[in-house]
Amino acid sequence: MIKSQKQDKFKHKRLEYFANRFSEAHLDLACYGAFPLALTPELLYCLRENFAPDAPFIAVADILLFLCETVGYQLYELDTEVRNELLVYLKSRLGDEKLYEKLLCKLSDFMVAYIRQQLKSNDYADEDLGATPHWTALAYIKPEEAVKDIAEELQKALKQQPGNLLKFSSIIEGYADTDPLLKAGFEPLLILSRGLDAKARGDEETAEEEFANLRQEYGSQLEIQGVKFDIPSDGKGGELEDFTFDVVTVNAKGEEVKRELGKAQYFVEKLGDGVTLDMVAIPGGTFTMGAPEGEATSADDERPQHQVTVPAFFMGKYPVTQAQWRVVANFEQVSHSLEPDPSRFKGDDLPVETIDWYDAEEFCSRLSKATGKTYSLPIEAEWEYACRAGTTTPFHFGETITPDLANFNGNYTYASAPKGEYREKTTPVGSFKLANAFGLYDMHGNVNEWCDFLWQDNIETDHQSWPLRGGSWNDYAWICRSDYSELYVRGDGSSDIGFRVVVSAERT
């Protein structure tokens, strides 16, 4: 090739300068030097001796000086763009078959032999490090095959010691900007590798960010060129955080008779855009479901009371907010589209409302797919058990509620409590600063919450109506009782209807 033909062959200024200043033999050696992810002077001299004998000795120094960055003692790396351009140039020069024969086979064998000599490593390490020039060649010939090969090797590394995973992750990172691989589906594998690397190094926050990105796009399992990986469900490895809260008890007049400091655990689901979802650990147990005879304003359909055993689960600390809804509404659709801003009363920290049952179910489906956990609406027994939190009174606060404790129509009271404020709108979740003994807020009032049936085989319904629990900002106090259940057409929404979510204790 005539030297003048090299002009304007390269986009990278440094490489363009190198190609125009030095000989073709210089450029040939630089191409061979693009296969290893890191270079030493000795390795480059060996490559010259075996593959580019026409290159002058000074070419080694020229390549290291003009094209590489120093990354350690006598350790150099080519700029990623420079390496890619050199390999594309070499492929166009030699053609696929020659590139495969001369570089894939010979250079790969050479690298294995070089590693054996220099590092005196075992066979696994030989294959591990020696694979890199093999993948580099495949990337420009058969990129899908290269991605599959890398994915299979990552699976093997996961079964080895953490040190092998860290070493392998650094090798994968070296291909982060290789265009043919990225077009062949390499990017999600790269993100997974980064998350696994961060987790192995103890950087749980970074790991969870990477895993969350994958879960949002692919759900709980990633498949790359036929190779399957389970995406970790939580970068914290299942660890829970403690939190404390105030719990109060009132008498029939609404007067505070006891205040305690409660303590519970929760985990944080990162939804994206800085928005999170707090999920509180609800311990399993047995409780008496339904209203007792003689409870004021109770009805026969709230009886007979019966014992129900509830396994442990996690429940949203608050009703789903408008900020949380907006983020999840942008997740991948499962069954139907979601209106990102459906609420009558606007505010990020206000509960989302005007939500029908089908929309609440779609929210749960999208969240499940994005996180790898199985989110759902609570069944009625879960909701009542969580609301009561060990109490047997009409409200978890005690014999009554007041507008100082919850958001409801304060013109209509319960027991002997006095009238109070009727706000005529929703309030920010948790704004009353009082929780029940499990650490849940706004279980009484603010918005009615969609539930599912189950554990109640005596319910008669037309299958169009579904249960609401908890009462709302415009309901009477008696509708906010722990055991009150209202059937509502599940295809309808209203400004007093929202929901909260649950997930199993295994968080899968």
Side-chain angles (χ1 to χ4, degrees):
M1 183 179 292
I2 302 172
K3 185 173 181 180
S4 61
Q5 290 181 302
K6 294 183 299 182
Q7 196 169 4
D8 299 325
K9 283 285 184 183
F10 303 107
K11 297 178 181 178
H12 198 285
K13 293 297 183 184
R14 184 186 298 184
L15 185 54
E16 181 183 16
Y17 176 81
F18 181 89
N20 286 319
R21 173 167 179 173
F22 298 108
S23 67
E24 287 288 350
H26 272 72
L27 194 55
D28 285 344
L29 181 56
C31 289
Y32 294 120
F35 277 83
L37 296 182
L39 289 168
T40 65
E42 182 178 3
L43 173 57
L44 201 50
Y45 277 120
C46 288
L47 288 169
R48 173 197 166 276
E49 182 178 346
N50 287 273
F51 295 94
D54 293 337
F57 281 99
I58 194 63
V60 171
D62 292 334
I63 291 170
L64 297 178
L65 177 63
F66 284 93
L67 298 181
C68 297
E69 300 291 341
T70 303
V71 295
Y73 177 69
Q74 290 197 341
L75 188 64
Y76 302 84
E77 284 184 358
L78 282 167
D79 178 272
T80 302
E81 293 183 9
V82 170
R83 185 198 305 138
N84 286 343
E85 284 208 66
L86 285 170
L87 293 171
V88 170
Y89 164 73
L90 191 58
K91 177 183 176 182
S92 66
R93 246 183 94 187
L94 300 179
D96 287 357
E97 291 303 320
K98 291 183 179 179
L99 181 63
Y100 187 90
E101 283 182 31
K102 190 170 185 179
L103 301 180
L104 174 60
C105 298
K106 294 183 179 179
L107 188 53
S108 184
D109 290 344
F110 164 79
M111 287 296 299
V112 171
Y114 178 83
I115 292 166
R116 280 202 185 110
Q117 178 184 357
Q118 298 298 318
L119 303 181
K120 296 182 172 62
S121 58
N122 57 36
D123 289 341
Y124 179 81
D126 292 342
E127 295 174 1
D128 184 22
L129 296 175
T132 59
H134 171 88
W135 293 335
T136 305
L138 276 180
Y140 293 87
I141 302 171
K142 301 176 181 177
E144 291 82 7
E145 185 177 323
V147 172
K148 181 177 181 180
D149 195 8
I150 295 172
E152 289 173 346
E153 290 300 322
L154 178 58
Q155 272 196 339
K156 292 179 184 178
L158 285 171
K159 300 176 182 179
Q160 306 294 324
Q161 297 298 320
N164 286 332
L165 177 60
L166 292 172
K167 177 178 63 177
F168 192 78
S169 296
S170 67
I171 293 173
I172 291 180
E173 190 65 33
Y175 293 97
D177 297 317
T178 305
D179 289 339
L181 293 183
L182 294 175
K183 292 176 181 177
F186 180 64
E187 185 172 9
L189 188 65
L190 179 65
I191 295 172
L192 176 64
S193 175
R194 287 170 176 167
L196 293 170
D197 179 82
K199 187 173 179 65
R201 296 179 188 276
D203 185 356
E204 299 289 356
E205 182 175 355
T206 299
E208 174 56 19
E209 288 178 0
E210 301 290 3
F211 296 148
N213 289 334
L214 288 175
R215 289 195 299 265
Q216 180 172 337
E217 181 72 20
Y218 300 98
S220 60
Q221 191 175 73
L222 174 67
E223 183 171 347
I224 302 295
Q225 299 296 343
V227 184
K228 296 180 179 180
F229 297 89
D230 291 326
I231 301 172
S233 61
D234 185 10
K236 294 183 178 180
E239 294 180 7
L240 299 174
E241 301 178 43
D242 294 331
F243 73 105
T244 58
F245 44 88
D246 286 333
V247 181
V248 303
T249 303
V250 299
N251 60 22
K253 295 180 180 180
E255 299 168 337
E256 184 176 323
V257 295
K258 184 170 65 173
R259 180 178 288 259
E260 298 176 299
L261 185 67
K263 184 178 181 180
Q265 293 185 309
Y266 74 112
F267 74 87
V268 178
E269 192 73 82
K270 297 179 181 179
L271 304 180
D273 297 333
V275 178
T276 59
L277 174 66
D278 291 351
M279 297 297 295
V280 178
I282 308 299
T286 300
F287 82 112
T288 301
M289 185 174 181
E293 293 284 350
E295 181 175 287
T297 70
S298 64
D300 288 342
D301 61 5
E302 298 166 10
R303 287 182 281 274
Q305 286 188 296
H306 54 288
Q307 296 290 107
V308 178
T309 299
V310 181
F313 63 102
F314 290 83
M315 190 175 211
K317 185 186 291 186
Y318 313 105
V320 170
T321 67
Q322 293 176 34
Q324 293 164 344
W325 175 271
R326 192 178 305 114
V327 172
V328 175
N330 286 318
F331 287 179
E332 183 181 352
Q333 178 175 319
V334 177
S335 296
H336 66 271
S337 62
L338 292 176
E339 165 59 48
D341 188 22
S343 301
R344 171 187 172 188
F345 307 108
K346 306 298 183 183
D348 285 353
D349 293 331
L350 293 177
V352 68
E353 25 88 358
T354 319
I355 299 299
D356 67 29
W357 181 87
Y358 297 102
D359 287 343
E361 284 284 292
E362 175 69 12
F363 178 98
C364 294
S365 297
R366 294 188 188 192
L367 186 57
S368 298
K369 184 173 182 179
T371 63
K373 308 179 182 76
T374 304
Y375 280 93
S376 66
L377 296 174
I379 55 180
E380 285 205 88
E382 287 176 323
W383 192 97
E384 186 172 328
Y385 173 74
C387 178
R388 289 186 178 280
T391 64
T392 58
T393 48
F395 309 90
H396 70 68
F397 291 111
E399 295 297 327
T400 189
I401 55 172
T402 71
D404 292 331
L405 302 173
N407 181 19
F408 64 100
N409 188 338
N411 293 318
Y412 299 89
T413 62
Y414 192 85
S416 302
K419 291 183 178 182
E421 182 180 3
Y422 175 31
R423 297 175 176 86
E424 302 185 58
K425 61 182 179 181
T426 56
T427 48
V429 298
S431 58
F432 290 90
K433 310 298 183 185
L434 298 171
N436 67 10
F438 284 160
L440 301 173
Y441 293 78
D442 297 331
M443 295 299 286
H444 300 304
N446 216 1
V447 286
N448 286 285
E449 299 178 12
W450 283 113
C451 290
D452 281 332
F453 285 117
L454 300 181
W455 288 342
Q456 296 189 80
D457 55 11
N458 61 336
I459 294 292
E460 293 185 7
T461 177
D462 58 6
H463 300 292
Q464 296 300 314
S465 299
W466 234 243
L468 293 173
R469 287 284 191 147
S472 74
W473 59 270
N474 68 346
D475 282 324
Y476 303 161
W478 63 271
I479 293 178
C480 300
R481 290 177 297 121
S482 298
D483 44 38
Y484 179 82
S485 177
E486 175 185 359
L487 292 178
Y488 197 83
V489 177
R490 55 178 171 166
D492 291 346
S494 173
S495 63
D496 62 355
I497 298 177
F499 67 102
R500 73 179 76 207
V501 295
V502 298
V503 70
S504 69
E506 290 78 14
R507 297 161 67 183
T508 57

